[in-house]
Amino acid sequence: NPEFQSYLGSLTYDRLKERFEQAVAILKGCGAESIGGAGFCWGAGQVARALEEGLISSGAFVHASFCTPELMEKASGPVCLCPTKDDGEQLDLKEAAEKSGHKVVYHYYEDVHHGFCAARANFEDETNVKRTNECLEVLATFFNESM
């Protein structure tokens, strides 16, 4: 859908950065000492930029889009990558994240589609449910260990 693609293209980090900063300020005001971000699909690129700038202390990327090796290499904290069969293994992102010198957690979901853990999830499908639960466990463990 060209309209939707245009809309997504308009949601640049520069346009959204103020909201990231507001969220971080609110969380810190509530006592948070360490803040992580999870980006699903196009949100991965936004979280990668926040991690690059040090607004957040760790970032998780599930079926990432708009995420580049350059951003991963500039990560200012630990990274968790969870690509699917539709995304490919995204080993270029993994290798770039490893160059950042921070912890990298990587789980490739070869039997589910892009969006399995978000908007395109099919919770009537047993494999989708199983992989979503696994992925959420990976994310919880990652954030517990990296923050």
Side-chain angles (χ1 to χ4, degrees):
N1 177 333
E3 281 183 34
F4 184 67
Q5 291 299 323
S6 176
Y7 170 71
L8 283 183
S10 75
L11 297 176
T12 65
Y13 180 73
D14 291 334
R15 184 172 170 203
L16 299 173
K17 182 178 178 179
E18 184 178 337
R19 294 198 185 257
F20 271 97
E21 292 169 337
Q22 290 169 345
V24 168
I26 289 168
L27 291 168
K28 287 186 175 181
C30 292
E33 296 175 13
S34 182
I35 299 167
F40 294 73
C41 190
W42 68 270
Q46 312 307 323
V47 170
R49 291 282 306 276
L51 184 60
E52 172 192 19
E53 292 188 0
L55 279 175
I56 56 176
S57 56
S58 58
F61 309 93
V62 182
H63 41 78
S65 297
F66 303 102
C67 206
T68 66
E70 293 77 24
L71 284 172
M72 291 290 97
E73 196 168 333
K74 294 176 184 176
S76 64
V79 167
C80 178
L81 293 164
C82 299
T84 70
K85 66 180 180 179
D86 296 335
D87 308 310
E89 294 183 52
Q90 296 185 332
L91 294 175
D92 58 334
L93 297 180
K94 178 181 181 280
E95 291 165 5
E98 289 169 343
K99 290 179 184 177
S100 75
H102 299 285
K103 177 181 178 177
V104 177
V105 173
Y106 175 85
H107 288 270
Y108 176 55
Y109 295 91
E110 64 184 22
D111 59 355
V112 287
H113 60 278
H114 178 92
F116 80 101
C117 198
R120 294 181 57 212
N122 174 4
F123 294 122
E124 301 296 319
D125 179 79
E126 185 177 323
T127 300
N128 195 135
V129 171
K130 183 176 180 182
R131 295 297 177 256
T132 296
N133 288 332
E134 288 172 3
C135 186
L136 294 175
E137 185 64 34
V138 165
L139 296 181
T141 300
F142 168 73
F143 285 121
N144 281 332
E145 292 177 354
S146 68
M147 296 179 24

